Amino acid sequence: MRIPAAKYLFLALSLCVALSSLAKKKQAIAPSYSWSISDPLGLRYPAAIDTAYENYGLRFIPSLRSKAWSTTGNYGAQGQDMIFFNRPATSDFFFEDGLATWLPTVATQRFFNTRIPMTVLGHATGGNKYSNQDRTQVLFSGNVDKRIEVGGAVDYIYSKGSYDYQAAKNFRWSAFGSYIGDRYEMQAFINSYSSSNKESGGITNDLYIIDPAQVQGGESKVDPKDIPTRLTEAQNNLNGTEFYMNHRYKVGFYRYERDSVTDTIKGKTYVPVTSFIWTLDYKHNKHKFINASATQDTAYFDHTYLGYGGTRENQLYTKLRNTVGISMLEGFNKYAKFGFAVYATHELRRYTQVTDSVTGRVAAWPTADSLTVACPHKHTESDFTIGGQLTKQHGSILTYDATAEFGIAGPHVGDIDVTGDVATRFRLLKDTVTIKGYGYFKNKKAPYLLEHFVSNHFAWDNNFDKITRLRLGGVLDVPFSGSNVDVGYETLKNYVYFGSDGTPAQCGSPIHVLNATLKQNFAFKALHWENDLTFQTSSNSQVLPLPKFSVYSNVYVKFTIARVLHCQLGVDGNYYTRYYAPAYNPATMTFHNQNEVKCGNFAFMNAYANFRMKQARFFVMYSHVNKGIFGGNNYFNTPHYPLNPGRFQLGVIVDFIN
């Protein structure tokens, strides 16, 4: 597909300006370090600063969020990971789950300590003026002094989509900062996002993709924008804001360093022993579903409960959580081999749903489908939780991390959540081999909205049993052979899922899931071959359908031109076996089970070239390069939502050093 000349000019000028400014610097000073934090106590963990150019362009392929990703097709649109061990549990506000890969979280937040200010600017584009896909990203971080850091980021996705009525717009911004002192530490951020997604409801006939000649009187070519869709005036709007603060005050002593000759003090180091912690987490979300076509509204959805004049409805969610704790810190003397913390949490959640304006409770209209659901317009939950954490973050042989939480009051009283991992390392053939074990045990009440929900087309009133999950697994990482093996097993009891009617259901009998993943990389001089293979099986595929085998493979060459231009040229692709992939529900933004259409058994491949010169990274790529050549035309990974056809894409990202 042709990209307008203006976009080529914009990207070329950006790259030229960046390279000319960077060329004046004999030596670029890289940022010092970065870290992430764990919730709720704010423990810091090292995180890599994103400076890699390898595989940079592949970040802009919607279906490559995972090697088995169920998506509605467009970049920035809804999706679900079909590798079960990578899939998070349903959240309190399930409308967010389908867009989770595009949204900011505590886990994805990064903090920096830079010797000089850092600015990262990137832009990627693809398609033509009718189907263009653009993403612009800006990141800034700077230190006021060696203790205080402030920063901010902007991320804007606008993608019209290859098919009609699937445009996605996602704008998010964040401001963050930290203070890391001897006695006091503070880490804080505010994240805000606004996402708008047109809803096509899928194409009206899959043959437009599989065999267009059958539905076009023998004509084999079809413009994707001409394929009719089931919805034309529907969209979802999702907004969210999260404010997070973690404070830690450390009590300890000074350790003095003396000169061995003069016996004078050369310096001193503060050694913390105990810390007092307070974490505040405030989150507010709003979901709006609109369908302006009354005719399509009743034709597409099986039930209508509140009115036949189309749909326009809102759901709100607010969370306020406070955690206080005390911890004994690791390493303050030779006997303190681990850190230990205890904490208590209070969480307040408030839900606002659709309601009858007279009674304040849901009532079936006389002309609507009959249903009685006693779901209050506004509902508040208050929970108290206590927990403990045992960690060993430092050590050349053994590290571990274990957390246990128990609900002691509120709707989630009796909930148990125990999570842990342990890792050991040893030298083998001049390299370090790592063995890691992980697991968790959870016995938790289902989120409120899975039990009580009302909208124009979906309503339910459930009383589910607690969901029990037990997972155990291990990882073997052997760097010198390029091998990584991850084998895990999970048992689920009272698993809650979205059934074929689009409403939550519970499976009382246990479900067993086995997952085995092999990552195997090969390298010979400039030639590299990376492979990621997963075998998984579900003991109840009617309730929990999964593709049994998934693979991602990437073959490329890496070389350097004139010692300054680093190049990666390659072809990658993913494939997974056929299975009954989840269907997508536009009204609730969820994926639900179905047993009519199988997806999978096709290859999706991309040809790309990634480059780096000094602090500039750029790429050119043709995605779905195998379309019409091999791999088949049945390229759906969600029923009735085809993936993008072939398209040309390019982008540039520059690390500016101010």
Side-chain angles (χ1 to χ4, degrees):
M1 293 184 178
R2 185 177 60 85
I3 298 179
K7 291 187 178 181
Y8 281 118
L9 182 60
F10 171 80
L11 291 170
L13 288 175
S14 299
L15 184 58
C16 291
V17 170
L19 292 179
S20 63
S21 64
L22 293 169
K24 299 177 183 179
K25 294 178 171 58
K26 295 183 178 180
Q27 182 178 2
I29 302 176
S32 299
Y33 59 88
S34 175
W35 70 90
S36 61
I37 58 176
S38 64
D39 192 42
L41 297 182
L43 282 179
R44 293 187 290 155
Y45 292 88
I49 297 177
D50 183 15
T51 58
Y53 78 97
E54 295 91 344
N55 303 323
Y56 171 55
L58 303 179
R59 305 178 189 186
F60 303 96
I61 305 296
S63 59
L64 283 188
R65 312 310 294 179
S66 164
K67 56 181 175 289
W69 186 255
S70 184
T71 176
T72 55
N74 195 18
Y75 194 71
Q78 297 84 344
Q80 184 183 58
D81 202 327
M82 298 314 296
I83 305 299
F84 182 72
F85 272 40
N86 296 341
R87 187 190 306 173
T90 304
S91 68
D92 289 330
F93 197 64
F94 58 69
F95 301 100
E96 276 195 314
D97 295 352
L99 293 175
T101 187
W102 314 105
L103 304 182
T105 65
V106 176
T108 59
Q109 181 64 46
R110 297 293 179 265
F111 299 89
F112 303 86
N113 188 300
T114 59
R115 292 190 290 270
I116 59 176
M118 173 188 74
T119 302
V120 180
L121 172 64
H123 182 77
T125 187
N128 57 31
K129 66 179 181 179
Y130 303 108
S131 64
N132 63 291
Q133 169 188 307
D134 293 291
R135 186 172 190 175
T136 302
Q137 296 170 282
V138 181
L139 170 66
F140 169 81
S141 178
N143 273 58
V144 178
D145 56 29
K146 66 179 182 180
R147 293 183 176 89
I148 302 175
E149 170 255 354
V150 294
V154 173
D155 188 355
Y156 179 60
I157 296 174
Y158 178 68
S159 181
K160 293 181 179 178
S162 295
Y163 307 94
D164 226 353
Y165 305 108
Q166 64 165 188
K169 185 192 300 183
N170 190 320
F171 178 79
R172 71 187 196 193
W173 63 267
S174 66
F176 53 88
S178 63
Y179 177 91
I180 308 299
D182 289 342
R183 289 185 173 87
Y184 173 68
E185 293 183 5
M186 186 276 292
Q187 301 160 118
F189 66 81
I190 180 169
N191 286 328
S192 182
Y193 73 86
S194 175
S195 179
S196 178
N197 297 79
K198 295 290 186 181
E199 299 290 356
S200 70
I203 62 177
T204 57
N205 193 331
D206 292 355
L207 289 175
Y208 280 104
I209 299 297
I210 300 171
D211 188 1
Q214 284 194 42
V215 289
Q216 296 190 131
E219 175 59 45
S220 60
K221 292 185 178 180
V222 59
D223 187 330
K225 286 291 186 180
D226 292 335
I227 298 176
T229 62
R230 300 178 67 189
L231 297 176
T232 61
E233 298 182 60
Q235 73 177 52
N236 274 293
N237 296 331
L238 192 65
N239 301 290
T241 300
E242 182 171 20
F243 176 65
Y244 187 96
M245 275 196 312
N246 171 256
H247 305 268
R248 182 183 293 263
Y249 184 80
K250 297 172 287 186
V251 178
F253 60 90
Y254 281 102
R255 182 174 291 154
Y256 295 94
E257 182 182 358
R258 293 182 175 274
D259 188 289
S260 59
V261 178
T262 63
D263 196 32
T264 57
I265 297 175
K266 294 195 304 181
K268 62 180 181 178
T269 303
Y270 189 74
V271 180
V273 176
T274 304
S275 64
F276 300 91
I277 305 159
W278 170 45
T279 299
L280 169 70
D281 187 7
Y282 171 80
K283 188 174 183 181
H284 178 74
N285 293 97
K286 179 180 179 180
H287 167 253
K288 178 187 291 185
F289 175 64
I290 301 171
N291 190 4
S293 172
T295 302
Q296 293 176 357
D297 203 43
T298 54
Y300 185 89
F301 298 103
D302 293 334
H303 303 285
T304 300
Y305 301 120
L306 303 179
Y308 286 116
T311 300
R312 186 181 185 91
E313 56 194 20
N314 297 323
Q315 289 88 15
L316 303 177
Y317 167 72
T318 301
K319 177 186 75 173
L320 176 62
R321 186 182 67 189
N322 280 278
T323 300
V324 293
I326 182 172
S327 69
M328 300 293 291
L329 300 179
E330 175 187 350
F332 67 86
N333 66 38
K334 63 180 181 179
Y335 300 107
K337 300 296 186 182
F338 57 85
F340 177 73
V342 292
Y343 58 93
T345 297
H346 174 252
E347 183 168 304
L348 191 68
R349 296 179 298 276
R350 187 174 181 86
Y351 303 87
T352 303
Q353 299 195 59
V354 180
T355 184
D356 181 89
S357 60
V358 176
T359 65
R361 291 182 178 271
V362 175
W365 284 30
T367 58
D369 291 347
S370 177
L371 181 75
T372 300
V373 174
C375 181
H377 172 45
K378 293 184 178 181
H379 176 76
T380 301
E381 292 185 335
S382 179
D383 278 312
F384 287 91
T385 303
I386 59 172
Q389 188 174 64
L390 186 68
T391 61
K392 188 174 188 296
Q393 295 178 275
H394 309 288
S396 58
I397 298 177
L398 186 69
T399 58
Y400 50 82
D401 188 335
T403 302
E405 293 185 351
F406 306 93
I408 61 172
H412 289 261
V413 63
D415 279 11
I416 301 173
D417 190 339
V418 180
T419 304
D421 60 72
V422 58
T424 184
R425 303 167 182 82
F426 57 90
R427 299 288 294 177
L428 181 64
L429 298 181
K430 298 182 179 181
D431 211 335
T432 301
V433 176
T434 302
I435 299 177
K436 179 181 178 181
Y438 60 86
Y440 60 61
F441 173 76
K442 302 175 185 287
N443 188 47
K444 305 179 72 173
K445 180 179 174 63
Y448 176 79
L449 289 181
L450 289 184
E451 295 195 317
H452 311 287
F453 179 75
V454 169
S455 67
N456 195 21
H457 301 296
F458 294 91
W460 53 77
D461 189 6
N462 300 312
N463 185 20
F464 292 136
D465 294 329
K466 287 185 183 292
I467 305 166
T468 303
R469 303 181 64 170
L470 174 64
R471 177 181 294 188
L472 297 171
V475 179
L476 173 64
D477 185 68
V478 187
F480 63 81
S481 66
S483 306
N484 182 283
V485 180
D486 184 344
V487 179
Y489 183 82
E490 178 162 347
T491 298
L492 305 98
K493 186 178 180 181
N494 298 326
Y495 177 64
V496 175
Y497 62 100
F498 284 91
S500 57
D501 63 352
T503 66
Q506 187 166 57
C507 178
S509 59
I511 302 175
H512 307 283
V513 179
L514 173 66
N515 181 97
T517 296
L518 169 65
K519 295 181 181 180
Q520 182 61 62
N521 300 332
F522 303 97
F524 179 72
K525 295 184 178 180
L527 180 64
H528 298 259
W529 184 21
E530 300 174 349
N531 299 279
D532 188 342
L533 304 90
T534 292
F535 171 81
Q536 58 181 354
T537 180
S538 166
S539 64
N540 190 339
S541 58
Q542 297 295 316
V543 172
L544 182 57
L546 301 171
K548 285 190 176 296
F549 182 71
S550 309
V551 59
Y552 171 78
S553 191
N554 188 11
V555 180
Y556 59 89
V557 292
K558 284 176 60 176
F559 54 91
T560 303
I561 299 176
R563 298 184 180 181
V564 294
L565 181 62
H566 303 275
C567 309
Q568 181 197 25
L569 311 179
V571 177
D572 84 315
N574 67 321
Y575 167 91
Y576 53 86
T577 51
R578 286 174 64 83
Y579 74 113
Y580 286 109
Y584 173 69
N585 180 357
T588 60
M589 299 179 71
T590 58
F591 290 83
H592 63 88
N593 291 355
Q594 58 86 31
N595 56 7
E596 297 178 355
V597 179
K598 284 190 173 183
C599 297
N601 194 33
F602 66 88
F604 190 99
M605 302 181 67
N606 314 282
Y608 63 85
N610 298 302
F611 306 95
R612 178 172 183 172
M613 179 179 290
K614 295 183 180 290
Q615 271 63 57
R617 294 170 279 166
F618 49 100
F619 76 91
V620 292
M621 172 177 58
Y622 196 87
S623 62
H624 206 170
V625 68
N626 61 307
K627 180 186 178 298
I629 302 175
F630 63 89
N633 290 328
N634 196 3
Y635 45 88
F636 297 81
N637 60 17
T638 296
H640 315 307
Y641 287 89
L643 298 179
N644 287 335
R647 60 166 52 190
F648 183 73
Q649 298 177 238
L650 72 164
V652 59
I653 185 169
V654 183
D655 309 327
F656 289 99
I657 307 298
N658 297 330

